[in-house]
Amino acid sequence: MAISDGTDAGSPLLEDAVDDCVDYRGQPVYKSSSGRWRSASFIIVVEIAERFAYYGIASNLITYLTGQLGQSTVTAAENVNVWSGVTSLLPVLGAIVADSFFGRYRTIVAASVVYVLGLGLLTLSTTFSSSNSSLQKTHKMVVSCSLDQFQVILFFFSLYLVAIAQSGHKPCVQAFGADQFDEQDPEECKLKSSFFNWWSFGISVGAFSTRLVLNYIQDNLSWGLGFGIPCICMVVALAVFLFGTKTYRYTTTVQRDDQKRPLVRIGQVFIAAIRNRRSKMVVEDHEACGNLPHHRSSDLQFRFLDKALLVHDGSNKHMILCSISDVEDAKALLKLVPIWTTSLVYGIVYAQSSTFFTKQGGSMDRSASFDMPAASLQCFINLAIIIAIPMYDRIFVPIARAFTAKPAGITMLQRIGTGIIMCGISMVIAALVEMKRLKTAQEYELVDKPKETIPMSFYWLIPQYVLFGLADVFTIVGLQEFFYDQVPKQLRSFGISLFLSVLGVGSLLSSVLVSAIDEVSSCNGGVSWFANNLNQAHLDYFYWLLAGLSVVGFAVYLYFAKTYIYKR
């Protein structure tokens, strides 16, 4: 950009500068030459490829575990839930590393390399399956068992290597994409809200492609090819991300070496408040008495944290000192805890689409123009999202904005709550469909023939999948924007990881719930709700239980959502 010598020329340039951001060389960055949709488009393409790769594993994992590795339905479901939970929880650590040490850009690059390595080893592990079959045919059973054990170890090692890669990739890519919009600019603020919608649209395109194409390849052609294609996609994604390097806006919120890390500062607030909980205090000189924060109604319950601003009178020279901004940041994080906790029910229900929904569909007639793989039925979730997102962003938001005068049409918490209701309704429909499936199995005397296809079309499952997709449009996108927006600016990656941890803890709780119910329902010779023979099992009971939990969870969520006051 050419700069003239005139004094007036500097003003537009200063107005064009983006606060707290630099370019890839560490120089001031300008709105006209960086960020916005041009940069965000690169990042969305990367996320589409990453989701294509991730769901290439996750959507059909239970089929691989029960088929190629010979695990029972319960064991496979538990393994899927645990892996999904770990994959969604590890980003908390990855976000801390990115926000406090390396920055988002470098964390994304490093995580992408590990991602490619994990997918490559996963592809390699599937080659032992064919070798194992060949050895069995030649009666080399000792070597076959050794290879079988090695395959399992390599498979799970590769699986959790992908989870480690997710820890750095998932929270940082989305936060980095949202960083391309200046929240101080009213126009870019609207674009940022729209970004979260189109981000989820891109995720659904990637997941839909996986479930429509990769699941068919895995079930009918080759697992090695089915895992190898995602590996290639991640290599391409890394190249695309690097290609956009010169256009990105890089936040300067990663502090210098002489500054404290964000989470360290916030942690010290809690430590100081606990130490000062009983003593008479005076305000430290560097925090003038008149500067103590005025308490809003939402902050009254956290007034105890204000004691972190005070020190013992004339004693304890080593007391940790905290600033007002540190205390306010600590309050902002603490305010998120009730919303995070009450959203966990949604996380538990969310885990069912890739486990029992898939097993449920596997027993039904899936013939269309071709025999659709059971895991591919999940594509109806993504199809619903792909159709609903543009309608939400281009039709619903402008109409709602005209009535509410809110930039996003409705508040983030209203959006989250709407999705929780939809998810509960989806469980009711799933329970009714499962009752119909069990009744059909009885009518055709197929209760004791689990390998026989029940003469009931997979179309019966479409409503529950579609409602799942619509719930995602509201709750998943709402959670993403909420936790990104409401955390302190220095902790945006950590905010995204909090959203992911809702799904992670939900998956782990689902695993615990499944294990406990299986233990109780199968005791004293009873038939487990999750018996390997689904015609004798009772998934309908489980779905009714989840529907009830959704009602209770929403009631508690509604209470905390009504009392929440937004940061800005």
Side-chain angles (χ1 to χ4, degrees):
M1 178 184 292
I3 303 176
S4 66
D5 294 334
T7 56
D8 293 338
S11 297
L13 192 61
L14 289 175
E15 292 176 1
D16 193 44
V18 183
D19 294 337
D20 299 325
C21 286
V22 296
D23 64 11
Y24 71 104
R25 296 170 298 183
Q27 301 299 315
V29 68
Y30 304 103
K31 296 178 183 178
S32 58
S33 59
S34 69
R36 298 170 70 102
W37 280 114
R38 178 174 59 173
S39 299
S41 297
F42 283 113
I43 299 169
I44 288 178
V45 168
V46 169
E47 184 63 10
I48 290 174
E50 188 276 331
R51 289 291 89 183
F52 180 84
Y54 174 78
Y55 284 110
I57 302 170
S59 63
N60 213 14
L61 182 57
I62 193 168
T63 303
Y64 186 85
L65 294 177
T66 55
Q68 302 299 109
L69 298 188
Q71 294 184 348
S72 68
T73 300
V74 171
T75 302
E78 289 174 353
N79 280 329
V80 172
N81 285 331
V82 169
W83 179 72
S84 298
V86 170
T87 301
S88 297
L89 281 176
L90 281 180
V92 174
L93 298 178
I96 292 172
V97 170
D99 286 340
S100 299
F101 299 98
F102 298 139
R104 287 161 199 152
Y105 177 84
R106 282 179 287 184
T107 303
I108 292 168
V109 173
S112 297
V113 172
V114 177
Y115 215 132
V116 171
L117 177 61
L119 289 170
L121 291 176
L122 198 65
T123 304
L124 180 63
S125 72
T126 63
T127 62
F128 290 99
S129 188
S130 58
S131 299
N132 189 18
S133 300
S134 177
L135 286 168
Q136 286 179 359
K137 290 178 182 179
T138 55
H139 305 290
K140 297 180 180 178
M141 297 305 294
V142 176
V143 180
S144 175
C145 291
S146 178
L147 272 177
D148 199 34
Q149 186 179 17
F150 179 73
Q151 178 195 1
V152 173
I153 293 173
L154 181 60
F155 178 81
F156 279 101
F157 173 78
S158 307
L159 202 61
Y160 281 91
L161 195 61
V162 170
I164 293 172
Q166 280 270 298
S167 70
H169 197 281
K170 191 60 181 169
C172 296
V173 172
Q174 188 171 10
F176 192 63
D179 289 343
Q180 306 310 308
F181 302 93
D182 183 10
E183 62 185 15
Q184 304 302 322
D185 184 308
E187 183 61 30
E188 291 199 22
C189 188
K190 291 181 181 179
L191 294 177
K192 187 178 73 172
S193 181
S194 184
F195 164 80
F196 285 99
N197 290 328
W198 291 104
W199 176 269
S200 291
F201 179 86
I203 288 176
S204 296
V205 169
F208 179 79
S209 303
T210 290
R211 288 161 174 165
L212 196 63
V213 178
L214 275 188
N215 291 161
Y216 180 83
I217 292 173
Q218 291 166 348
D219 282 2
N220 298 280
L221 298 178
S222 166
W223 281 98
L225 185 61
F227 288 146
I229 293 175
C231 183
I232 296 172
C233 283
M234 277 308 299
V235 173
V236 174
L238 177 57
V240 170
F241 182 73
L242 294 174
F243 185 75
T245 296
K246 293 184 179 181
T247 73
Y248 299 143
R249 296 174 183 174
Y250 302 82
T251 61
T252 57
T253 54
V254 178
Q255 61 292 319
R256 301 184 303 270
D257 292 338
D258 60 339
Q259 293 178 313
K260 295 177 182 178
R261 312 294 175 186
L263 285 176
V264 171
R265 291 190 290 103
I266 291 172
Q268 288 177 342
V269 171
F270 290 98
I271 294 173
I274 292 172
R275 286 183 177 179
N276 296 344
R277 65 188 183 278
R278 294 177 180 173
S279 304
K280 289 184 178 181
M281 308 291 174
V282 295
V283 182
E284 179 63 8
D285 291 340
H286 81 286
E287 300 284 1
C289 294
N291 288 336
L292 282 173
H294 296 289
H295 302 297
R296 299 174 305 187
S297 59
S298 62
D299 291 332
L300 293 178
Q301 58 185 314
F302 304 126
R303 291 184 63 179
F304 71 92
L305 290 178
D306 290 337
K307 290 190 175 182
L309 297 170
L310 312 172
V311 295
H312 288 284
D313 188 12
S315 63
N316 203 343
K317 299 296 183 181
H318 300 290
M319 175 63 65
I320 297 172
L321 300 179
C322 302
S323 68
I324 290 177
S325 62
D326 293 341
V327 173
E328 291 302 303
D329 286 350
K331 289 180 179 180
L333 283 185
L334 204 57
K335 284 165 56 182
L336 300 178
V337 173
I339 302 299
W340 183 90
T341 304
T342 53
S343 299
L344 289 178
V345 172
Y346 180 86
I348 295 174
V349 176
Y350 183 85
Q352 311 314 315
S353 63
S354 60
T355 53
F356 293 122
F357 276 21
T358 301
K359 295 300 292 184
Q360 190 180 16
S363 67
M364 299 169 69
D365 181 10
R366 303 186 308 279
S367 59
S369 56
F370 63 96
D371 192 15
M372 182 177 289
S376 293
L377 297 177
Q378 297 173 58
C379 71
F380 289 106
I381 296 177
N382 307 117
L383 189 60
I385 296 173
I386 291 170
I387 295 172
I389 285 287
M391 295 176 63
Y392 183 92
D393 191 73
R394 299 303 179 186
I395 300 175
F396 175 78
V397 171
I399 293 175
R401 187 185 293 153
F403 288 96
T404 65
K406 298 182 184 298
I410 58 176
T411 67
M412 291 175 278
L413 291 176
Q414 287 172 341
R415 186 171 186 172
I416 294 168
T418 302
I420 293 175
I421 294 173
M422 289 182 175
C423 213
I425 296 173
S426 175
M427 285 294 97
V428 172
I429 294 175
L432 294 173
V433 171
E434 179 61 10
M435 292 172 65
K436 169 68 176 175
R437 192 191 68 84
L438 292 175
K439 184 177 180 180
T440 303
Q442 291 176 347
E443 289 175 353
Y444 286 85
E445 299 181 350
L446 298 174
V447 174
D448 298 320
K449 300 176 181 178
K451 294 185 179 181
E452 295 291 328
T453 299
I454 294 176
M456 179 178 172
S457 175
F458 72 89
Y459 289 116
W460 283 86
L461 297 174
I462 291 179
Q464 67 197 58
Y465 278 115
V466 169
L467 266 176
F468 245 66
L470 295 178
D472 280 6
V473 170
F474 285 88
T475 297
I476 293 295
V477 182
L479 286 171
Q480 291 170 355
E481 186 175 2
F482 177 78
F483 284 111
Y484 174 88
D485 187 75
Q486 294 299 297
V487 297
K489 189 173 182 179
Q490 302 92 335
L491 295 172
R492 291 285 172 71
S493 298
F494 183 72
I496 296 296
S497 73
L498 286 178
F499 144 68
L500 293 169
S501 68
V502 169
L503 305 182
V505 174
S507 290
L508 293 177
L509 290 176
S510 175
S511 180
V512 172
L513 190 62
V514 168
S515 181
I517 291 174
D518 178 64
E519 185 72 25
V520 172
S521 60
S522 62
C523 67
N524 299 323
V527 178
S528 170
W529 287 10
F530 315 109
N532 289 336
N533 182 354
L534 288 186
N535 298 336
Q536 296 178 349
H538 275 290
L539 290 181
D540 53 333
Y541 293 172
F542 184 57
Y543 293 151
W544 283 119
L545 175 63
L546 292 181
L549 287 176
S550 295
V551 172
V552 175
F554 175 74
V556 181
Y557 168 84
L558 191 61
Y559 170 79
F560 287 108
K562 282 185 174 180
T563 58
Y564 186 88
I565 295 181
Y566 292 91
K567 185 180 69 175
R568 289 186 295 276

